[in-house]
C-alpha cells in the first residue's frame, strides 16, 4: 500500500511529552542485569498544542531540544507551525520556526558543533508536500526551499547536512535517495528505485562519514551503505 507523506495529519490535539531519565542513564538502564522497573522516569509537558510528529536532539550540555508542530486555534488544520523548543533550567522556551500550512511531514532535527539546530521537513498543502531545510544562523532561521527531499537528517564533523529520503509518491516511480551539502551545493544520488513503496526509516554516518540507511522496500526491511565507490544493498528481514 502506498504510504502517504501526509498520513500523519490527524484530528485532535495531543500533549508533547519529554521522557527523560532521573539518576540513571538510558545506557545503564538497558544494560544486562539492570531492572528496567527500577528506573524513575521524569515526564514533562513541553507544549499542549502539538499535533503530528516531532524530533529530539540533546546538545553538548545534555540539554534536550525538540522540533515539533502545533495547530493554531485561529485556523485549525490550515495554519500549522513548525516549532522549536529547548529547556532552560526547569522551564521550556518555545518559538515558531516557519509556517507548515496543512502540516509538516517527517520532521528531523540535528544540532551542529555550536549546538545550533538544523531541521529537515516538508511543508504540506492540498497540492503536495514540498521539502524544506531550515537552520539557525545565530540570528534568525534560514529556510532553503530548493532541496530534493526530506527525511532522516544527520550532520557530519564539518556540520554539513546529510539526508536519506524517499522521492516520489506514485507507485512505480518511487526511489530511495540520499543528498548532502558540499560547499553550499546539494548533491543527490539515487540508491534504489522500485515498483513498490520505499520509505526511509533512519540514516547514520560511520567514522569515515559514509552514509548507512535503513529503509523498507515493499514489506521488506533493507539496509544500504556507501562503500566509498558505490551503494551496497542488503535485505535485513524479508516479508513471508
Amino acid at each position: 500500500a502506498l504510504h502517504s507523506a501526509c498520513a500523519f495529519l490527524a484530528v485532535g490535539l495531543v500533549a508533547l511529552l519529554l521522557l527523560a531519565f532521573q539518576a540513571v542513564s538510558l545506557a545503564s538502564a538497558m544494560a544486562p542485569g539492570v531492572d528496567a522497573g527500577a528506573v524513575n522516569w521524569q515526564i514533562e509537558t513541553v507544549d499542549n498544542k502539538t499535533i503530528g510528529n516531532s524530533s529530539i536532539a540533546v546538545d553538548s550540555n545534555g540539554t534536550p531540544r525538540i522540533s515539533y508542530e502545533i495547530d493554531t486555534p485561529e485556523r485549525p488544520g490550515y495554519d500549522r507551525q513548525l516549532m522549536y523548543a529547548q529547556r532552560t533550567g526547569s522551564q521550556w522556551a518555545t518559538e515558531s520556526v516557519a509556517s507548515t500550512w496543512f502540516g509538516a511531514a517527517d520532521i528531523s532535527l540535528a544540532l551542529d558543533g555550536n549546538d545550533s539546530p538544523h531541521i529537515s521537513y516538508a511543508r504540506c498543502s492540498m497540492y503536495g508536500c514540498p521539502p524544506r531545510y531550515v537552520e539557525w544562523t545565530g540570528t534568525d532561521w534560514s529556510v532553503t526551499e530548493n532541496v530534493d527531499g526530506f527525511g532522516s537528517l544527520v550532520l557530519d564533523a564539518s556540520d554539513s547536512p546529510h539526508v536519506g529520503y524517499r522521492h516520489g509518491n506514485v507507485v512505480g516511480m518511487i526511489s530511495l535517495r540520499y543528498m548532502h551539502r558540499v560547499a553550499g551545493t546539494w548533491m543527490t544520488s539515487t540508491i534504489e528505485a522500485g515498483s513498490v513503496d520505499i520509505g526511509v526509516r533512519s540514516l547514520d554516518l560511520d567514522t569515515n562519514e559514509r552514509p548507512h540507511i535503513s529503509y523498507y522496500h515493499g514489506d521488506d526491511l533493507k539496509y544500504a551503505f556507501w562503500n566509498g565507490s558505490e551503494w551496497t544493498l542488503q535485505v535485513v528481514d524479508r516479508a513471508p
Side-chain angles (χ1 to χ4, degrees):
L2 178 63
H3 296 263
S4 171
C6 296
F8 66 92
L9 299 178
V11 178
L13 300 178
V14 295
L16 176 63
L17 301 179
L18 171 71
L19 301 181
F21 281 119
Q22 184 178 40
V24 182
S25 69
L26 176 62
S28 62
M30 298 307 170
V34 175
D35 182 7
V39 175
N40 184 16
W41 288 91
Q42 179 176 317
I43 302 175
E44 302 175 11
T45 299
V46 179
D47 196 325
N48 60 7
K49 300 182 294 297
T50 64
I51 192 169
N53 59 103
S54 64
S55 180
I56 188 170
V58 178
D59 66 23
S60 58
N61 297 313
T63 302
R65 317 281 190 96
I66 302 175
S67 181
Y68 61 102
E69 178 189 9
I70 66 168
D71 207 358
T72 55
E74 296 80 12
R75 299 184 65 200
Y78 294 95
D79 188 18
R80 294 174 174 170
Q81 297 289 315
L82 178 68
M83 301 290 291
Y84 176 70
Q86 60 178 318
R87 189 166 60 188
T88 56
S90 60
Q91 303 296 318
W92 285 91
T94 66
E95 62 179 295
S96 175
V97 177
S99 169
T100 59
W101 288 351
F102 287 6
D106 291 347
I107 298 171
S108 185
L109 168 68
L111 304 178
D112 63 26
N114 295 316
D115 288 332
S116 295
H118 299 242
I119 305 169
S120 172
Y121 69 103
R123 185 187 190 194
C124 293
S125 72
M126 66 180 67
Y127 303 108
C129 293
R132 297 287 188 270
Y133 181 79
V134 60
E135 57 195 307
W136 178 252
T137 65
T139 56
D140 58 10
W141 293 98
S142 174
V143 179
T144 303
E145 297 184 1
N146 59 336
V147 291
D148 190 59
F150 59 95
S152 182
L153 168 67
V154 174
L155 303 180
D156 62 27
S158 300
D159 291 332
S160 296
H162 300 246
V163 183
Y165 59 101
R166 60 175 275 165
H167 186 272
N169 286 312
V170 180
V171 173
M173 301 176 64
I174 298 173
S175 60
L176 173 67
R177 292 191 182 183
Y178 162 77
M179 68 180 185
H180 68 289
R181 192 170 62 188
V182 179
T185 300
W186 288 94
M187 313 294 291
T188 66
S189 62
T190 298
I191 302 170
E192 181 176 11
S195 59
V196 295
D197 198 12
I198 294 176
V200 173
R201 283 295 166 258
S202 186
L203 163 72
D204 204 358
L205 304 178
D206 61 27
T207 55
N208 294 314
E209 297 190 340
R210 294 174 179 173
H212 298 244
I213 301 174
S214 68
Y215 65 104
Y216 65 83
H217 183 257
D219 293 327
D220 295 337
L221 174 64
K222 301 186 74 173
Y223 163 68
F225 68 95
W226 180 255
N227 63 18
S229 59
E230 63 181 2
W231 288 99
T232 299
L233 312 180
Q234 298 176 0
V235 177
V236 178
D237 194 354
R238 191 178 300 278

